[in-house]
Amino acid sequence: MEKYDIIIENGASICYNRKGDSISALKTGGRIRVLIKPNSIKGLIVALQNTSDDRIVLGNMTNTLISDQGINRELIITSAVKGVHVDEDSLICSTGESLSNACIVARKFGLSGMESLAGIPGSIGGAVAMNAGAFGGYMSDIIESAEVYIDGNIVHMNREELGMTYRHSSLLDNGGVLISAVLRLVHKNPILIASSMKDARTKRHLSQPLEVSLGSVFKRANDNGAGYYIEKCGLKGSRVGEAEVSTKHANFIINTGKCTSNDYYKLMCHIQKTVEKECGVLLQREVRLIGEFEE
Ligand SMILES: Cc1cc2nc3c(=O)[nH]c(=O)nc-3n(C[C@H](O)[C@H](O)[C@H](O)COP(=O)(O)OP(=O)(O)OC[C@H]3O[C@@H](n4cnc5c(N)ncnc54)[C@H](O)[C@@H]3O)c2cc1C
């Protein structure tokens, strides 16, 4: 049997030459040679076992810019690998479960610890890999352990082994793929949890643009949000093609219509250069790039 038949047989769909802009969060990107979408943990593991080592694994693509030239490698998308279970004070989440749904379940069962994360788009896998966080709370505060596919084996990793630091984890360096994660929370009145989650969402809506974006473009620098420097340089509203520096939050680049990945990339480079020249600060990208880009 061909390897793609084995993958399909074990619970996945495969598309060839699918346009990236039809699936990416920013609605940009060229054709993806082989797009594999498993629908269960078993399907994901079989897909990992039957693809080459240079495969790419993504969740909801809310932090990833796909090149307009597309991806000439196998891409596995985990967003259909759903599941979240409550075990006393823990949530056991499959990698493709949305962080927002995990927050809803935590709230419903009176489990506290995820309040500040409410409203971050993306999957559990992406949130662990990126150590997603907001308003002083991080995934690393609540993760207890994870099952990770690495070098052909499934291994159990504890919090230390996941090496989670600011917007980074060991998974981004060692090619490990998160299969599932255990989040350790504490019991609390669901009404108080709901109220804190509502506050986090409100703060988010008041400070961030609602247009299509990839969230924060750059990481914090010298204890300041990158937006502080970008705004100081007068870059709010700057455009390349249909990519625009949000006038609401300077660290967001929004797609105003038919933006391409290269528009986004060029604007990002322009911001980086301007801030370095005018403020002497070299901003580091938070957004992850896949494929080739031209300045
Ligand atoms: C409007 C908006 C607001 C945002 N607000 C925030 C915020 O407040 N805080 C914040 O931290 N982020 C924020 N983000 C960014 C993004 O939502 C988070 O980084 C999110 O955790 C990414 O999840 P994802 O599934 O979309 O990851 P993807 O973009 O699919 O992937 C991101 C990275 O994680 C890796 N990855 C994905 N899944 C796995 C896996 N199973 N195993 C190993 N590696 C994996 C990918 O290879 C890639 O390198 C925001 C984005 C948007 C669009």
Side-chain angles (χ1 to χ4, degrees), residues 138-159:
Y138 295 91
M139 280 304 281
S140 53
D141 300 334
I142 52 170
I143 189 135
E144 180 166 276
S145 62
E147 299 295 311
V148 174
Y149 181 93
I150 184 162
D151 299 330
N153 300 305
I154 296 170
V155 299
H156 183 83
M157 284 191 181
N158 60 29
R159 185 203 311 234

Side-chain angles (χ1 to χ4, degrees), residues 33 51-57 71-75:
R33 188 168 61 85
T51 43
S52 13
D53 288 344
D54 74 347
R55 74 179 93 73
I56 299 163
V57 178
I71 303 181
N72 200 21
R73 288 149 68 184
E74 293 161 316
L75 170 63

Side-chain angles (χ1 to χ4, degrees), residues 57-64 78 95 120-123 125-127 129-134 167 171-172 176-178 204 208 213-216 252 286 288:
V57 178
L58 295 173
N60 286 0
M61 302 168 89
T62 62
N63 205 42
T64 304
T78 66
T95 190
I120 301 180
S123 65
M130 295 300 301
N131 192 13
R167 298 296 184 269
L171 303 178
L172 296 180
V177 175
L178 188 116
R204 188 172 282 281
Q208 298 180 2
S213 76
L214 293 175
S216 296
F252 281 62
E286 180 171 327
R288 313 270 306 164

